[in-house]
Each structure stands twice: as C-alpha cells, then as structure tokens.
Amino acid sequence: MAEPNGRDNDPHTNPRNVALVVLDTARARSVDPTTAPTLCRLADEGTAFSNAFATAPWTLPSHASLFTGLYASEHGTHGGHTYLDDDLRTLPGAFADAGYETVGVSNNTWITEEFGFDRGFETLRKGWQYIQSDADMGAVVRGENLREKLQATRERLFDGNPLVNATNICYSELLQPAGDDGADRSTSWIADWLSSRDDDRPFFLFCNYIEPHVTYDPPREYADRFLPADADYQDAIAIRQDPRAYDCEDYAITDREFALLRGLYRAELAYVDDQLAALRTALEDADEWEETLLIVCGDHGEHIGERDFFGHQYNLYDTLLHVPLIAHGGAFTGRGRRDDLVQLLDLPETLLEATGVDDPALRGQSSGRSMYPQTAAEPREAVFAEYVSPQPSIERLEDRFGEIPDRVRRFDRRLRAVRTREYKYVRADDGFERLHDLEADPNERTDLADDDPDRVRDLRGRLEARFDPLEDVGADGSVEMRAGTKERLADLGYL
C-alpha cells in the first residue's frame, strides 16, 4: 500500500483528504440553483457529472455498490440478502489500510454495523442518536400520541443502558429541533471533530444526510419558499406520506397533494444544501478545504407521483437512477460539466486514483471505471442497473395490506436495465421487457420494444454480456434485523 501523501506529486492533483457526502434520495431532476445553490456552486468550481446513475433504486444496494465498486448481483447485498458480506473489500477499508483516519456519519439505519457497513471505519456515528448506543429509541419518536410514546418507553427503556435511553428520549421528544432528521447535529459533530483533531494522518470522511427521504418535513421557512403560493404549510405536512400504502392503493393522493409533496421535497433539498455549505465552512475553518477532495452525490432518486408511484421501489426509471454527482478538489477543480456516462460504482476506482492510494484488492474486485480527469480508463458506452429483489417483498405487502393491486404484484420479479445516451432497455426475469428512445421520450413513457426488435436484441446482448455470468452472492438468506431497526426502517417507508 502507498503511504498516505507520501507521493512527490503536486498536492493540487493529489488531495490530502477525501470527503464523500451522500444526499439520500436526491434525484438529479430536482437539483437546480434554486434548491441547491451550494451544490451548484461546487459544480461550477469543480466538476459536474450530468449523466451519473445509481446501480440500484434504493439505499442498501446502492451504498454497497458505492463502497465496493460492484453491481448488486456481484456484491449480493439487496432485499433478499441485506448484509454486506465480510469477504468484500470496501472503500473505507482501503483508506484505513493506507493510513487514513476513517470516519463515517450515517443518518440512514441501513448504513450501520448491523448490515456490514462499519468495516474500515474507525468511527461510524449514528446520526439519529444523541448519545451513541446500540439501543434505538426510534419507536418513542414515532409514537402517534402520548399513549404510544409511553408504551414504547416502557418497552424499550431497559434495552441497554436506561440512563442513555432516557437521555435519547428526552432529546428526541423535547429538545430536538423541528424539521431536522439529524443533518444539523451531524454537521456540527463533523465541525467539532475537524476543529479538535490533532491527528497528522489524512482523513476519509463519509456522511449520509437523509433529509430528502420520506418523511418530507422541512423547517417551515424552507417549505414556504417552495410550496405553491396558495398552499398552507400545515395542510402540506398533514398529507399522509406512506409510499408502500399508496402504491398498494390503501389510500389516494391527489394531484394537488403531490404538488405540495414535491414542494416539501424541494425544501428538504434546500435545507440539506445549507448543511453542505456549513460542512464546507467547517473544512475551510480547519484549513483542510484546499487539501480535500469533496464528492457529493445522491444514492438514488424518488418518485413523487411520477408514473403514479411514490417512493423508490419496484422499478428502474431514470427518476430513481439519475442522480447528482459533483467532485471538487485536486484535478477536478475547474473542469466544468462532463456529460459522459458514469456510475456511482465508479467512485472507488476514482478516489483511489485521485489520491494515489494503491489497493489491488479493491481495484481487482471492482467493476468500476475511474472518472479521474487524467485516467487511462475508457469512457463508458452504457450504464447498468439492477433491482434484484423486491423490498419489501410481495409477501410482506400482503401481510400488511391483504390483497394488493396487480400493478404492484407485477414487480415480484428481478429487473435489469442498460442505458446508453440514446436508448434504455429494461428486462425482467419473467420475460417482461421495454425499450425507450431517450432523446424523443426522456420520461420513458412510450415502449418501443415491439417496434425495434433489432435494437432490443442488441441491448439485450449487452445486458447478458454484463450480467449473465454473475451469480447472486448470498441470495439464500438475510440477517435478522433488531426490532428497533425494523421500526425505524418502516418509518422511512422501507418496511
């Protein structure tokens, strides 16, 4: 392994530190100078990848790809097997072994030690906890009324350290600022860490901000900027936000209500964008900004009424796969916009090359291609995505809702997609397929599969060349989640 910063290269091209920031559920189509002025400024100063795509439409497999450089069917982490297997090399592990201080801050409960994402981190902080603890008091937070909150407190107070649990409950119920799902505390913690660290090592910092994820509940001053002029804030936040229930036709959302929800979602992006500005200030104040390669991306997108879906499950539309991605620092500074096709799983190769860290295990494992400006890697002609296993499963939906509509039952299948600049082809393991001309039909509404069999044959061949030799790693089972985690994931709309 290379010693960190032991290179003779110009430090402008080989930054000392790496900061990888994920804006959970940020879709590219909603990121603009109005919702994300900080991110757009970083894009103007650095490099903006306008054609960046996730490998999967939801958090767990997408983060696994980002950490390993592998597609979901390669790393085997998906709805049918929810653990990142121990034999996989990870991005934090590569930097840890190269001598970096590795610090993670997660605000999404999938990205924890319970699911194998702690490997390589010296510190992995759970942003939803005031005092770090294995016991999760999220059930108290989610109580609909005082009776439910008291019942959850009685059930969970002695799960671990009662004093720590009581402190976390007091914070969440009495002291936590409204409209924040951990971003402000996470940014403040990172700022304190940066200002107080006396470690001579460079650092690898990972942070997941979850605010754009359901439930959309931005501070009112942000919501007022993005809701329709005739909208009432209280009416907007009172709209039921339960994606699985909506998809299964348990309740309806009107066009007007979806317009309000899109306003709230955009407000969440604006709020987390301000947190990104504060993070930049913290790096500047610690005299680390000029020596830090900052990567900011979404891990997947979101449906907010598009194609009559809510949330980010069961399909592979660009609404769920097209994500913002910017890089700032080192050789990425001042490069402007790049429109070549890239994927989030390209980040491990890119970060290794950008920092000069040599990790043969991660590079040998990866299916990614470096996006570094001076790379010798060939540009992509296509990007790929997979939806390996429904999450939650159709059986779990039936347990919750009874009979579910055929439009959802159809998604009890595995989906794969290949996307070029001009066309997108999606195929399922039940024989379903569709083809879209993206230049004429960017919203993927018109299926041309029957009209252009030659193109279907060509793109199907690309899918088969990419995926058919692969086996599903660990597809025979999943880890058992703790009850507290299940409840928090249910609150986020996953379960």
Side-chain angles (χ1 to χ4, degrees):
M1 304 292 178
E3 290 296 325
N5 304 303
R7 305 171 300 275
D8 294 328
N9 304 51
D10 184 336
H12 183 68
T13 60
N14 292 108
R16 169 180 166 83
N17 312 306
V18 174
L20 173 57
V21 178
V22 174
L23 309 182
D24 205 298
T25 321
R27 61 186 192 177
R29 67 186 298 170
S30 295
V31 172
D32 56 44
T34 303
T35 58
T38 301
L39 189 61
C40 290
R41 178 186 170 193
L42 288 169
D44 290 340
E45 297 174 356
T47 303
F49 295 89
S50 58
N51 282 314
F53 293 87
T55 60
W58 65 289
T59 292
L60 183 74
S62 181
H63 274 74
S65 292
L66 191 155
F67 276 31
T68 64
L70 296 169
Y71 291 99
S73 58
E74 294 176 304
H75 59 60
T77 311
H78 47 72
H81 178 78
T82 54
Y83 189 78
L84 186 65
D85 287 341
D86 293 340
D87 59 350
L88 293 173
R89 185 65 166 166
T90 66
L91 189 59
F95 279 96
D97 286 350
Y100 281 64
E101 181 182 7
T102 52
V103 173
V105 178
S106 173
N107 287 287
N108 189 312
T109 51
W110 285 113
I111 312 306
T112 64
E113 70 278 3
E114 186 172 353
F115 301 103
F117 285 88
D118 60 324
R119 285 201 312 281
F121 284 115
E122 294 178 42
T123 301
L124 180 58
R125 180 178 174 82
K126 303 171 188 174
W128 58 93
Q129 296 183 342
Y130 185 75
I131 298 176
Q132 297 299 290
S133 170
D134 289 337
D136 187 357
M137 295 294 103
V140 179
V141 179
R142 292 184 295 276
E144 295 293 332
N145 51 49
L146 181 61
R147 180 186 61 79
E148 290 185 3
K149 291 180 182 294
L150 291 175
Q151 180 179 347
T153 300
R154 288 195 299 268
E155 291 175 351
R156 302 191 178 278
L157 184 62
F158 296 97
D159 181 12
N161 186 319
L163 180 60
V164 170
N165 293 342
T167 301
N168 283 336
I169 291 170
C170 288
Y171 172 76
S172 63
E173 295 305 305
L174 302 174
L175 302 175
Q176 185 176 25
D180 183 274
D181 293 319
D184 184 66
R185 290 183 60 241
S186 296
T187 306
S188 296
W189 184 88
I190 292 170
D192 290 343
W193 165 71
L194 286 170
S195 65
S196 62
R197 71 188 294 265
D198 57 3
D199 199 320
D200 291 335
R201 295 175 296 168
F203 62 76
F204 173 87
L205 169 67
F206 164 80
C207 181
N208 171 292
Y209 290 121
I210 201 171
E211 270 68 15
H213 197 294
V214 165
T215 301
Y216 317 138
D217 56 350
R220 179 161 190 162
E221 60 268 29
Y222 287 84
D224 287 344
R225 290 160 47 190
F226 293 96
L227 289 172
D230 60 346
D232 180 79
Y233 172 74
Q234 295 299 331
D235 289 344
I237 63 173
I239 298 170
R240 183 181 177 187
Q241 297 186 43
D242 189 339
R244 301 291 76 77
Y246 173 80
D247 290 346
C248 291
E249 300 178 357
D250 188 59
Y251 77 110
I253 300 177
T254 66
D255 291 344
R256 167 68 172 177
E257 288 172 330
F258 267 129
L260 298 182
L261 290 176
R262 283 190 285 272
L264 293 178
Y265 173 80
R266 288 170 61 80
E268 292 280 32
L269 287 173
Y271 178 72
V272 80
D273 185 75
D274 280 351
Q275 296 295 325
L276 184 61
L279 178 60
R280 174 176 181 164
T281 298
L283 288 164
E284 291 172 338
D285 290 346
D287 293 328
E288 299 286 5
W289 176 249
E290 296 298 330
E291 296 189 76
T292 298
L293 171 58
L294 173 65
I295 305 291
V296 185
C297 64
D299 63 335
H300 56 76
E302 184 83 319
H303 287 308
I304 316 174
E306 293 85 5
R307 302 172 198 82
D308 201 26
F309 276 97
F310 187 22
H312 45 267
Q313 297 290 343
Y314 305 125
N315 47 67
L316 293 175
Y317 290 110
D318 275 5
T319 321
L320 303 187
L321 299 177
H322 189 199
V323 294
L325 173 62
I326 70 97
H328 182 284
F332 289 99
T333 302
R335 294 281 174 172
R337 172 173 168 165
R338 281 177 50 176
D339 62 1
D340 48 319
L341 293 169
V342 299
Q343 301 212 245
L344 294 184
L345 61 70
D346 295 328
L347 283 171
E349 290 274 358
T350 303
L351 294 179
L352 294 181
E353 187 169 3
T355 56
V357 169
D358 182 25
D359 194 278
L362 183 56
R363 282 192 160 139
Q365 162 188 286
S366 174
S367 292
R369 300 187 187 186
S370 175
M371 299 177 285
Y372 190 62
Q374 284 86 39
T375 188
E378 292 293 325
R380 290 184 174 277
E381 295 182 356
V383 293
F384 301 89
E386 296 181 282
Y387 190 66
V388 175
S389 179
Q391 172 59 36
S393 68
I394 299 301
E395 291 75 19
R396 289 169 68 185
L397 291 177
E398 289 175 330
D399 287 343
R400 180 181 175 190
F401 301 109
E403 185 60 31
I404 60 176
D406 288 341
R407 79 182 189 106
V408 173
R409 190 175 298 280
R410 286 199 304 270
F411 291 104
D412 188 14
R413 60 192 178 192
R414 176 178 186 156
L415 289 172
R416 285 172 166 168
V418 55
R419 188 194 195 282
T420 66
R421 290 179 178 276
E422 297 83 15
Y423 290 92
K424 183 173 180 182
Y425 173 72
V426 181
R427 184 172 178 82
D429 60 1
D430 61 0
F432 165 85
E433 61 183 0
R434 61 183 174 89
L435 173 71
H436 297 286
D437 180 342
L438 296 174
E439 294 182 345
D441 178 30
N443 292 319
E444 302 171 79
R445 297 188 181 279
T446 304
D447 180 12
L448 302 176
D450 291 337
D451 301 328
D452 197 344
D454 290 339
R455 196 168 307 278
V456 166
R457 189 177 306 110
D458 172 67
L459 292 174
R460 185 190 303 145
R462 291 197 188 197
L463 270 184
E464 292 173 350
R466 170 69 261 179
F467 290 121
D468 267 9
L470 305 176
E471 297 179 356
D472 288 338
V473 180
D476 56 341
S478 61
V479 296
E480 178 63 22
M481 288 178 282
R482 291 189 292 267
T485 302
K486 287 182 178 180
E487 291 171 0
R488 181 170 174 83
L489 293 174
D491 188 48
L492 293 174
Y494 283 116
L495 307 182

